[in-house]
Amino acid sequence: MKSLFKHREIWLGLAIVAVILAVTLRFPRFSEPSNLLTVFNDTSILMMLALGQMAVILTRCIDLSMASNLALTGMIVAMANAAFPFIPVPLLILGCVVVGAALGAFNGLLVWKLNIPAIVVTLGTLTIFRGLVFVISGGAWVNAAQMSPDFIQLQRSVFLGLPVLSWFAIVVAALVYVLMTRTPLGRAFYAIGVNPTAAVYTGIDVGKTKFYAFVLAGAISGLAGYLWISRYVIASVEVASGYELNIIAACVIGGVSIAGGIGTVGGALLGALFLGVVNNALPVIGVSPFWQMAISGAAILLAVVLNARGERSKGRVILRGA
C-alpha cells in the first residue's frame, strides 16, 4: 500500500477528486456526470497537446512552438474550408496533421542536424509560425459564417454518449500509450532522457530520436489546430496565444521531468485534467481570473518541487555517528 502511493498518478487522482468534492459542497451540480463529461471534453485538446509535449520533454528537449503550430495549421484549414467548402472534413483533418508534422519536423531538423538547443529553436519558430498566421491571412479573421456546417459540427457530434472531441483525445491517448510502452521508439525516448551517452552505445541515434519526438508533437498540434478552430469557430492570429504554458504546466504537474526520461501517459493526462478541473471550478466559486493564474502558478511550482525531490537520488551512507 505504501509503494502504491509513491505513484504521482494516485496523488493526482486524489487531488482531482478532492477539488471536485470541495466545490460540490457549495455547488452540488458540479459533480453531476453531465458536468464532469463537459469538463473532460473542455480539457480534451490540452490532454492531446500534453502528450505531444511529453514525448519531447522525455528526450531532454522542449517545444515552445506547439500553440503557434496549432494557430498556423488552424488558420490554414479554416481558410481552405472557407475557400473550398466541398473538401471532405476528414481530408482537411489529415492535411492538418501533415502540415503540423512538417512544422514539427522543421524544429526537429534544426535540433538534430545543427545541434541547436531546443528551447532556442522553438522560441524562434514560436514567433515565425505566429507571424505566418498573420502573413497568410493578412490579419483577417475566419469566422463561423465562412465555415461549412460539416466543418463545425463534426467534433460536436455525439458517439456512445461522448462528444467526438472527447473520442479524439481517447484515441490519441491510446495510440501514444502504445507508442511509449510497446515500441522501440517509445523506449528510445526514455533511454536518451535517462542517459543519452549510454543510449548511443545501445545503438540509438539520439538526434534522430529527438527529431521523431518533434514530429509527433507537431502532428498532434496540427490535429489540435482543426479541433480548436472548429470548436471555437474563429481563426485569428491570437488563437491559443500563450497556451504553450498550459501545455508545459500539464506535463510538469503530471510528473513529467524537465530533466528528461521520466513521465507517463497517465500522468500527463491527469496533469491536464487537474488543470481543467481547477480552471472550471474556480469561476464557479467566484475566484477572480487573477487568482486563477496565481493558483495555477502555485500548482506548477509545487509540482516542480515534488518532481525534484522524487528524482533526487539517495546517497549511500558510508559513515554513521556513534
Short mmCIF file of all heavy atoms in Angstrom, two decimals, residues 246-315:
data_model
loop_
_atom_site.label_atom_id
_atom_site.label_comp_id
_atom_site.label_asym_id
_atom_site.label_seq_id
_atom_site.Cartn_x
_atom_site.Cartn_y
_atom_site.Cartn_z
N ASN A 246 0.29 26.44 -20.59
CA ASN A 246 -0.65 25.44 -20.07
C ASN A 246 -0.20 24.03 -20.42
O ASN A 246 -0.33 23.10 -19.62
CB ASN A 246 -2.06 25.68 -20.64
CG ASN A 246 -2.65 27.00 -20.21
OD1 ASN A 246 -2.04 28.04 -20.37
ND2 ASN A 246 -3.85 26.97 -19.68
N ILE A 247 0.32 23.87 -21.64
CA ILE A 247 0.76 22.54 -22.09
C ILE A 247 1.92 22.05 -21.23
O ILE A 247 1.92 20.90 -20.75
CB ILE A 247 1.18 22.60 -23.57
CG1 ILE A 247 0.01 23.07 -24.45
CG2 ILE A 247 1.68 21.24 -24.04
CD1 ILE A 247 0.41 23.42 -25.87
N ILE A 248 2.90 22.92 -21.03
CA ILE A 248 4.06 22.54 -20.21
C ILE A 248 3.63 22.31 -18.77
O ILE A 248 4.10 21.38 -18.10
CB ILE A 248 5.15 23.62 -20.31
CG1 ILE A 248 5.67 23.70 -21.75
CG2 ILE A 248 6.30 23.32 -19.34
CD1 ILE A 248 6.58 24.89 -22.00
N ALA A 249 2.72 23.16 -18.27
CA ALA A 249 2.24 23.01 -16.89
C ALA A 249 1.57 21.66 -16.69
O ALA A 249 1.76 21.00 -15.67
CB ALA A 249 1.27 24.14 -16.55
N ALA A 250 0.76 21.23 -17.67
CA ALA A 250 0.09 19.93 -17.56
C ALA A 250 1.10 18.80 -17.44
O ALA A 250 0.92 17.87 -16.65
CB ALA A 250 -0.82 19.71 -18.77
N CYS A 251 2.18 18.89 -18.22
CA CYS A 251 3.22 17.86 -18.16
C CYS A 251 3.92 17.86 -16.81
O CYS A 251 4.12 16.80 -16.19
CB CYS A 251 4.24 18.08 -19.28
SG CYS A 251 3.62 17.76 -20.93
N VAL A 252 4.31 19.04 -16.34
CA VAL A 252 5.06 19.14 -15.08
C VAL A 252 4.20 18.66 -13.92
O VAL A 252 4.66 17.89 -13.06
CB VAL A 252 5.53 20.59 -14.86
CG1 VAL A 252 6.14 20.75 -13.47
CG2 VAL A 252 6.55 20.99 -15.91
N ILE A 253 2.95 19.11 -13.88
CA ILE A 253 2.04 18.68 -12.81
C ILE A 253 1.81 17.17 -12.88
O ILE A 253 1.68 16.49 -11.85
CB ILE A 253 0.71 19.44 -12.90
CG1 ILE A 253 0.92 20.92 -12.56
CG2 ILE A 253 -0.34 18.83 -11.97
CD1 ILE A 253 -0.29 21.79 -12.79
N GLY A 254 1.84 16.62 -14.08
CA GLY A 254 1.63 15.18 -14.26
C GLY A 254 2.86 14.35 -13.98
O GLY A 254 2.83 13.13 -14.17
N GLY A 255 3.95 14.98 -13.52
CA GLY A 255 5.13 14.22 -13.13
C GLY A 255 6.14 14.00 -14.23
O GLY A 255 7.08 13.21 -14.07
N VAL A 256 6.00 14.68 -15.37
CA VAL A 256 6.99 14.57 -16.45
C VAL A 256 8.19 15.44 -16.06
O VAL A 256 8.04 16.65 -15.86
CB VAL A 256 6.41 15.02 -17.80
CG1 VAL A 256 7.45 14.89 -18.90
CG2 VAL A 256 5.17 14.21 -18.14
N SER A 257 9.35 14.83 -15.97
CA SER A 257 10.54 15.55 -15.51
C SER A 257 11.12 16.41 -16.61
O SER A 257 11.36 15.93 -17.73
CB SER A 257 11.60 14.56 -15.03
OG SER A 257 12.81 15.23 -14.74
N ILE A 258 11.37 17.68 -16.31
CA ILE A 258 12.00 18.58 -17.27
C ILE A 258 13.41 18.10 -17.61
O ILE A 258 13.94 18.40 -18.67
CB ILE A 258 12.05 20.02 -16.70
CG1 ILE A 258 10.62 20.58 -16.55
CG2 ILE A 258 12.85 20.94 -17.60
CD1 ILE A 258 9.87 20.72 -17.85
N ALA A 259 14.03 17.34 -16.71
CA ALA A 259 15.37 16.80 -16.95
C ALA A 259 15.35 15.63 -17.92
O ALA A 259 16.40 15.16 -18.35
CB ALA A 259 16.00 16.36 -15.63
N GLY A 260 14.15 15.14 -18.28
CA GLY A 260 14.02 14.07 -19.26
C GLY A 260 13.99 12.69 -18.65
O GLY A 260 14.42 12.46 -17.52
N GLY A 261 13.46 11.74 -19.41
CA GLY A 261 13.50 10.34 -19.05
C GLY A 261 12.44 9.86 -18.08
O GLY A 261 12.32 8.66 -17.86
N ILE A 262 11.67 10.76 -17.49
CA ILE A 262 10.66 10.37 -16.51
C ILE A 262 9.31 10.96 -16.89
O ILE A 262 9.22 12.17 -17.16
CB ILE A 262 11.04 10.85 -15.09
CG1 ILE A 262 12.37 10.22 -14.65
CG2 ILE A 262 9.95 10.51 -14.09
CD1 ILE A 262 12.87 10.75 -13.33
N GLY A 263 8.29 10.12 -16.91
CA GLY A 263 6.94 10.60 -17.23
C GLY A 263 6.11 9.48 -17.80
O GLY A 263 6.64 8.53 -18.39
N THR A 264 4.81 9.56 -17.62
CA THR A 264 3.89 8.54 -18.13
C THR A 264 2.73 9.20 -18.86
O THR A 264 2.43 10.38 -18.62
CB THR A 264 3.33 7.67 -16.99
OG1 THR A 264 2.53 8.49 -16.13
CG2 THR A 264 4.44 7.01 -16.20
N VAL A 265 2.11 8.44 -19.72
CA VAL A 265 0.92 8.93 -20.42
C VAL A 265 -0.18 9.26 -19.43
O VAL A 265 -0.82 10.31 -19.51
CB VAL A 265 0.45 7.88 -21.45
CG1 VAL A 265 -0.92 8.26 -22.01
CG2 VAL A 265 1.46 7.74 -22.58
N GLY A 266 -0.38 8.37 -18.45
CA GLY A 266 -1.41 8.61 -17.44
C GLY A 266 -1.14 9.87 -16.65
O GLY A 266 -2.06 10.64 -16.35
N GLY A 267 0.12 10.11 -16.29
CA GLY A 267 0.46 11.31 -15.54
C GLY A 267 0.18 12.57 -16.32
O GLY A 267 -0.38 13.54 -15.80
N ALA A 268 0.57 12.59 -17.61
CA ALA A 268 0.33 13.77 -18.45
C ALA A 268 -1.17 14.04 -18.61
O ALA A 268 -1.62 15.18 -18.55
CB ALA A 268 0.97 13.58 -19.82
N LEU A 269 -1.95 12.97 -18.78
CA LEU A 269 -3.40 13.14 -18.92
C LEU A 269 -4.01 13.69 -17.63
O LEU A 269 -4.85 14.59 -17.67
CB LEU A 269 -4.04 11.80 -19.27
CG LEU A 269 -3.73 11.22 -20.65
CD1 LEU A 269 -4.33 9.84 -20.79
CD2 LEU A 269 -4.25 12.14 -21.76
N LEU A 270 -3.58 13.14 -16.49
CA LEU A 270 -4.12 13.61 -15.21
C LEU A 270 -3.67 15.03 -14.91
O LEU A 270 -4.42 15.81 -14.31
CB LEU A 270 -3.70 12.66 -14.09
CG LEU A 270 -4.41 11.31 -14.05
CD1 LEU A 270 -3.78 10.40 -13.02
CD2 LEU A 270 -5.90 11.49 -13.76
N GLY A 271 -2.44 15.39 -15.32
CA GLY A 271 -1.99 16.76 -15.13
C GLY A 271 -2.86 17.74 -15.89
O GLY A 271 -3.24 18.79 -15.38
N ALA A 272 -3.19 17.38 -17.15
CA ALA A 272 -4.08 18.23 -17.94
C ALA A 272 -5.48 18.27 -17.34
O ALA A 272 -6.11 19.34 -17.27
CB ALA A 272 -4.14 17.72 -19.38
N LEU A 273 -5.96 17.11 -16.90
CA LEU A 273 -7.30 17.05 -16.31
C LEU A 273 -7.37 17.86 -15.02
O LEU A 273 -8.38 18.51 -14.74
CB LEU A 273 -7.69 15.60 -16.05
CG LEU A 273 -9.15 15.35 -15.63
CD1 LEU A 273 -10.11 15.87 -16.69
CD2 LEU A 273 -9.38 13.86 -15.38
N PHE A 274 -6.30 17.82 -14.23
CA PHE A 274 -6.26 18.61 -12.99
C PHE A 274 -6.41 20.10 -13.31
O PHE A 274 -7.19 20.81 -12.67
CB PHE A 274 -4.95 18.36 -12.26
CG PHE A 274 -4.76 19.20 -11.03
CD1 PHE A 274 -5.37 18.86 -9.83
CD2 PHE A 274 -3.99 20.36 -11.06
CE1 PHE A 274 -5.22 19.64 -8.69
CE2 PHE A 274 -3.83 21.15 -9.93
CZ PHE A 274 -4.44 20.79 -8.74
N LEU A 275 -5.66 20.57 -14.32
CA LEU A 275 -5.79 21.98 -14.71
C LEU A 275 -7.19 22.27 -15.22
O LEU A 275 -7.76 23.34 -14.93
CB LEU A 275 -4.76 22.32 -15.79
CG LEU A 275 -3.31 22.45 -15.36
CD1 LEU A 275 -2.42 22.75 -16.56
CD2 LEU A 275 -3.15 23.55 -14.31
N GLY A 276 -7.76 21.33 -15.97
CA GLY A 276 -9.12 21.53 -16.48
C GLY A 276 -10.15 21.62 -15.37
O GLY A 276 -11.03 22.49 -15.41
N VAL A 277 -10.03 20.75 -14.37
CA VAL A 277 -10.98 20.78 -13.25
C VAL A 277 -10.83 22.07 -12.45
O VAL A 277 -11.81 22.72 -12.10
CB VAL A 277 -10.76 19.55 -12.34
CG1 VAL A 277 -11.55 19.70 -11.04
CG2 VAL A 277 -11.18 18.28 -13.06
N VAL A 278 -9.56 22.46 -12.18
CA VAL A 278 -9.31 23.69 -11.42
C VAL A 278 -9.85 24.91 -12.18
O VAL A 278 -10.51 25.78 -11.59
CB VAL A 278 -7.81 23.84 -11.11
CG1 VAL A 278 -7.51 25.24 -10.56
CG2 VAL A 278 -7.36 22.78 -10.12
N ASN A 279 -9.56 24.98 -13.47
CA ASN A 279 -10.00 26.13 -14.27
C ASN A 279 -11.51 26.20 -14.39
O ASN A 279 -12.08 27.29 -14.55
CB ASN A 279 -9.37 26.09 -15.66
CG ASN A 279 -7.88 26.36 -15.63
OD1 ASN A 279 -7.38 27.00 -14.71
ND2 ASN A 279 -7.16 25.88 -16.62
N ASN A 280 -12.19 25.05 -14.32
CA ASN A 280 -13.65 25.06 -14.34
C ASN A 280 -14.24 25.31 -12.97
O ASN A 280 -15.34 25.84 -12.85
CB ASN A 280 -14.18 23.73 -14.90
CG ASN A 280 -14.19 23.67 -16.41
OD1 ASN A 280 -15.15 24.04 -17.06
ND2 ASN A 280 -13.09 23.19 -16.98
N ALA A 281 -13.51 24.90 -11.92
CA ALA A 281 -14.04 25.02 -10.56
C ALA A 281 -13.91 26.44 -10.01
O ALA A 281 -14.82 26.94 -9.34
CB ALA A 281 -13.33 24.04 -9.64
N LEU A 282 -12.79 27.10 -10.27
CA LEU A 282 -12.54 28.40 -9.66
C LEU A 282 -13.58 29.46 -10.05
O LEU A 282 -14.04 30.21 -9.19
CB LEU A 282 -11.12 28.88 -10.01
CG LEU A 282 -9.99 28.04 -9.40
CD1 LEU A 282 -8.63 28.62 -9.80
CD2 LEU A 282 -10.10 27.98 -7.89
N PRO A 283 -13.98 29.56 -11.33
CA PRO A 283 -15.03 30.54 -11.65
C PRO A 283 -16.36 30.22 -10.95
O PRO A 283 -17.11 31.14 -10.61
CB PRO A 283 -15.18 30.42 -13.18
CG PRO A 283 -13.90 29.83 -13.64
CD PRO A 283 -13.46 28.91 -12.54
N VAL A 284 -16.63 28.93 -10.74
CA VAL A 284 -17.90 28.54 -10.09
C VAL A 284 -17.98 29.07 -8.68
O VAL A 284 -19.04 29.49 -8.21
CB VAL A 284 -18.04 27.00 -10.11
CG1 VAL A 284 -19.22 26.55 -9.25
CG2 VAL A 284 -18.22 26.50 -11.54
N ILE A 285 -16.82 29.07 -7.97
CA ILE A 285 -16.83 29.55 -6.59
C ILE A 285 -16.48 31.02 -6.49
O ILE A 285 -16.23 31.55 -5.40
CB ILE A 285 -15.86 28.72 -5.72
CG1 ILE A 285 -14.43 28.81 -6.26
CG2 ILE A 285 -16.31 27.27 -5.67
CD1 ILE A 285 -13.42 28.05 -5.41
N GLY A 286 -16.44 31.71 -7.65
CA GLY A 286 -16.28 33.15 -7.65
C GLY A 286 -14.86 33.66 -7.51
O GLY A 286 -14.65 34.80 -7.10
N VAL A 287 -13.87 32.85 -7.86
CA VAL A 287 -12.48 33.28 -7.79
C VAL A 287 -12.15 34.10 -9.04
O VAL A 287 -12.47 33.70 -10.16
CB VAL A 287 -11.54 32.07 -7.69
CG1 VAL A 287 -10.07 32.51 -7.69
CG2 VAL A 287 -11.85 31.28 -6.44
N SER A 288 -11.50 35.24 -8.87
CA SER A 288 -11.19 36.12 -9.99
C SER A 288 -10.16 35.49 -10.91
O SER A 288 -9.37 34.62 -10.48
CB SER A 288 -10.65 37.46 -9.48
OG SER A 288 -9.32 37.30 -9.00
N PRO A 289 -10.11 35.90 -12.18
CA PRO A 289 -9.12 35.35 -13.12
C PRO A 289 -7.69 35.54 -12.65
O PRO A 289 -6.82 34.70 -12.94
CB PRO A 289 -9.40 36.14 -14.41
CG PRO A 289 -10.82 36.58 -14.29
CD PRO A 289 -11.04 36.83 -12.83
N PHE A 290 -7.41 36.63 -11.94
CA PHE A 290 -6.05 36.88 -11.47
C PHE A 290 -5.63 35.83 -10.44
O PHE A 290 -4.51 35.33 -10.45
CB PHE A 290 -5.94 38.28 -10.89
CG PHE A 290 -6.30 39.35 -11.88
CD1 PHE A 290 -7.54 39.99 -11.84
CD2 PHE A 290 -5.43 39.70 -12.89
CE1 PHE A 290 -7.88 40.97 -12.75
CE2 PHE A 290 -5.75 40.68 -13.81
CZ PHE A 290 -6.98 41.31 -13.75
N TRP A 291 -6.55 35.50 -9.53
CA TRP A 291 -6.25 34.47 -8.55
C TRP A 291 -6.16 33.10 -9.22
O TRP A 291 -5.41 32.23 -8.77
CB TRP A 291 -7.32 34.45 -7.47
CG TRP A 291 -7.06 35.45 -6.39
CD1 TRP A 291 -7.73 36.60 -6.15
CD2 TRP A 291 -6.01 35.38 -5.41
NE1 TRP A 291 -7.17 37.27 -5.08
CE2 TRP A 291 -6.12 36.54 -4.60
CE3 TRP A 291 -5.00 34.47 -5.13
CZ2 TRP A 291 -5.25 36.79 -3.54
CZ3 TRP A 291 -4.13 34.71 -4.08
CH2 TRP A 291 -4.26 35.87 -3.30
N GLN A 292 -6.92 32.89 -10.29
CA GLN A 292 -6.82 31.63 -11.02
C GLN A 292 -5.42 31.44 -11.56
O GLN A 292 -4.84 30.35 -11.48
CB GLN A 292 -7.84 31.61 -12.17
CG GLN A 292 -9.29 31.57 -11.71
CD GLN A 292 -10.24 31.66 -12.89
OE1 GLN A 292 -10.00 31.11 -13.95
NE2 GLN A 292 -11.36 32.36 -12.72
N MET A 293 -4.84 32.49 -12.12
CA MET A 293 -3.48 32.42 -12.64
C MET A 293 -2.49 32.15 -11.52
O MET A 293 -1.56 31.34 -11.66
CB MET A 293 -3.12 33.72 -13.36
CG MET A 293 -3.94 33.99 -14.61
SD MET A 293 -3.64 35.63 -15.31
CE MET A 293 -1.90 35.51 -15.70
N ALA A 294 -2.69 32.81 -10.37
CA ALA A 294 -1.78 32.62 -9.24
C ALA A 294 -1.86 31.20 -8.71
O ALA A 294 -0.83 30.59 -8.40
CB ALA A 294 -2.12 33.62 -8.13
N ILE A 295 -3.06 30.65 -8.62
CA ILE A 295 -3.23 29.29 -8.12
C ILE A 295 -2.62 28.28 -9.09
O ILE A 295 -1.95 27.32 -8.68
CB ILE A 295 -4.73 28.99 -7.89
CG1 ILE A 295 -5.24 29.85 -6.72
CG2 ILE A 295 -4.96 27.52 -7.60
CD1 ILE A 295 -6.74 29.79 -6.53
N SER A 296 -2.80 28.50 -10.38
CA SER A 296 -2.20 27.61 -11.37
C SER A 296 -0.68 27.67 -11.28
O SER A 296 0.01 26.64 -11.36
CB SER A 296 -2.65 27.99 -12.79
OG SER A 296 -4.05 27.84 -12.93
N GLY A 297 -0.14 28.88 -11.11
CA GLY A 297 1.31 29.03 -10.96
C GLY A 297 1.83 28.34 -9.72
O GLY A 297 2.89 27.69 -9.75
N ALA A 298 1.09 28.45 -8.62
CA ALA A 298 1.50 27.78 -7.38
C ALA A 298 1.49 26.27 -7.55
O ALA A 298 2.37 25.56 -7.04
CB ALA A 298 0.56 28.19 -6.24
N ALA A 299 0.51 25.76 -8.29
CA ALA A 299 0.44 24.32 -8.55
C ALA A 299 1.65 23.85 -9.35
O ALA A 299 2.21 22.77 -9.10
CB ALA A 299 -0.85 23.97 -9.29
N ILE A 300 2.07 24.67 -10.31
CA ILE A 300 3.24 24.33 -11.12
C ILE A 300 4.50 24.29 -10.26
O ILE A 300 5.31 23.34 -10.33
CB ILE A 300 3.42 25.33 -12.28
CG1 ILE A 300 2.24 25.24 -13.24
CG2 ILE A 300 4.72 25.08 -13.03
CD1 ILE A 300 2.19 26.35 -14.25
N LEU A 301 4.69 25.31 -9.41
CA LEU A 301 5.87 25.35 -8.54
C LEU A 301 5.89 24.15 -7.59
O LEU A 301 6.94 23.54 -7.36
CB LEU A 301 5.88 26.66 -7.75
CG LEU A 301 6.19 27.92 -8.55
CD1 LEU A 301 6.09 29.16 -7.65
CD2 LEU A 301 7.59 27.85 -9.16
N LEU A 302 4.73 23.83 -7.03
CA LEU A 302 4.65 22.69 -6.12
C LEU A 302 5.01 21.40 -6.86
O LEU A 302 5.72 20.54 -6.33
CB LEU A 302 3.25 22.59 -5.53
CG LEU A 302 3.00 21.41 -4.58
CD1 LEU A 302 3.93 21.48 -3.39
CD2 LEU A 302 1.54 21.38 -4.12
N ALA A 303 4.53 21.28 -8.10
CA ALA A 303 4.83 20.08 -8.88
C ALA A 303 6.32 19.97 -9.17
O ALA A 303 6.90 18.88 -9.12
CB ALA A 303 4.04 20.10 -10.20
N VAL A 304 6.96 21.10 -9.48
CA VAL A 304 8.40 21.09 -9.75
C VAL A 304 9.17 20.65 -8.51
O VAL A 304 10.12 19.86 -8.58
CB VAL A 304 8.87 22.48 -10.22
CG1 VAL A 304 10.39 22.54 -10.27
CG2 VAL A 304 8.29 22.80 -11.59
N VAL A 305 8.76 21.17 -7.35
CA VAL A 305 9.42 20.78 -6.09
C VAL A 305 9.26 19.29 -5.84
O VAL A 305 10.23 18.59 -5.49
CB VAL A 305 8.85 21.59 -4.91
CG1 VAL A 305 9.38 21.05 -3.58
CG2 VAL A 305 9.21 23.06 -5.05
N LEU A 306 8.06 18.77 -6.04
CA LEU A 306 7.81 17.34 -5.82
C LEU A 306 8.62 16.50 -6.80
O LEU A 306 9.16 15.45 -6.44
CB LEU A 306 6.32 17.03 -5.96
CG LEU A 306 5.42 17.62 -4.86
CD1 LEU A 306 3.96 17.34 -5.18
CD2 LEU A 306 5.78 17.03 -3.50
N ASN A 307 8.69 16.97 -8.07
CA ASN A 307 9.48 16.24 -9.06
C ASN A 307 10.95 16.19 -8.66
O ASN A 307 11.61 15.17 -8.76
CB ASN A 307 9.35 16.90 -10.44
CG ASN A 307 7.98 16.66 -11.07
OD1 ASN A 307 7.20 15.87 -10.57
ND2 ASN A 307 7.70 17.37 -12.14
N ALA A 308 11.47 17.35 -8.21
CA ALA A 308 12.88 17.43 -7.83
C ALA A 308 13.18 16.51 -6.66
O ALA A 308 14.20 15.82 -6.63
CB ALA A 308 13.25 18.88 -7.50
N ARG A 309 12.29 16.49 -5.68
CA ARG A 309 12.50 15.63 -4.51
C ARG A 309 12.41 14.15 -4.90
O ARG A 309 13.16 13.31 -4.40
CB ARG A 309 11.48 15.94 -3.42
CG ARG A 309 11.72 17.27 -2.74
CD ARG A 309 10.64 17.52 -1.67
NE ARG A 309 10.70 16.51 -0.62
CZ ARG A 309 11.49 16.57 0.44
NH1 ARG A 309 12.31 17.60 0.59
NH2 ARG A 309 11.47 15.63 1.35
N GLY A 310 11.48 13.86 -5.78
CA GLY A 310 11.32 12.47 -6.19
C GLY A 310 12.48 11.95 -7.02
O GLY A 310 12.80 10.76 -6.99
N GLU A 311 13.13 12.86 -7.80
CA GLU A 311 14.23 12.45 -8.66
C GLU A 311 15.57 12.45 -7.94
O GLU A 311 16.56 11.95 -8.46
CB GLU A 311 14.33 13.40 -9.87
CG GLU A 311 13.12 13.31 -10.78
CD GLU A 311 12.96 14.55 -11.64
OE1 GLU A 311 13.97 15.29 -11.77
OE2 GLU A 311 11.86 14.80 -12.14
N ARG A 312 15.61 13.06 -6.74
CA ARG A 312 16.87 13.15 -6.03
C ARG A 312 17.28 11.77 -5.53
O ARG A 312 16.56 11.11 -4.79
CB ARG A 312 16.71 14.10 -4.83
CG ARG A 312 18.02 14.39 -4.10
CD ARG A 312 17.73 15.29 -2.92
NE ARG A 312 17.08 16.52 -3.36
CZ ARG A 312 16.35 17.28 -2.55
NH1 ARG A 312 16.15 16.91 -1.30
NH2 ARG A 312 15.81 18.40 -3.01
N SER A 313 18.44 11.33 -5.96
CA SER A 313 18.90 10.01 -5.55
C SER A 313 19.46 10.04 -4.14
O SER A 313 20.10 11.00 -3.74
CB SER A 313 20.01 9.52 -6.51
OG SER A 313 21.09 10.42 -6.52
N LYS A 314 19.18 9.00 -3.41
CA LYS A 314 19.65 8.90 -2.06
C LYS A 314 21.07 8.35 -2.04
O LYS A 314 21.32 7.26 -2.53
CB LYS A 314 18.73 8.00 -1.22
CG LYS A 314 17.32 8.56 -1.08
CD LYS A 314 16.46 7.64 -0.23
CE LYS A 314 15.07 8.22 -0.06
NZ LYS A 314 14.21 7.34 0.77
N GLY A 315 21.99 9.08 -1.49
CA GLY A 315 23.36 8.63 -1.42
C GLY A 315 23.51 7.50 -0.42
O GLY A 315 22.75 7.36 0.53
#
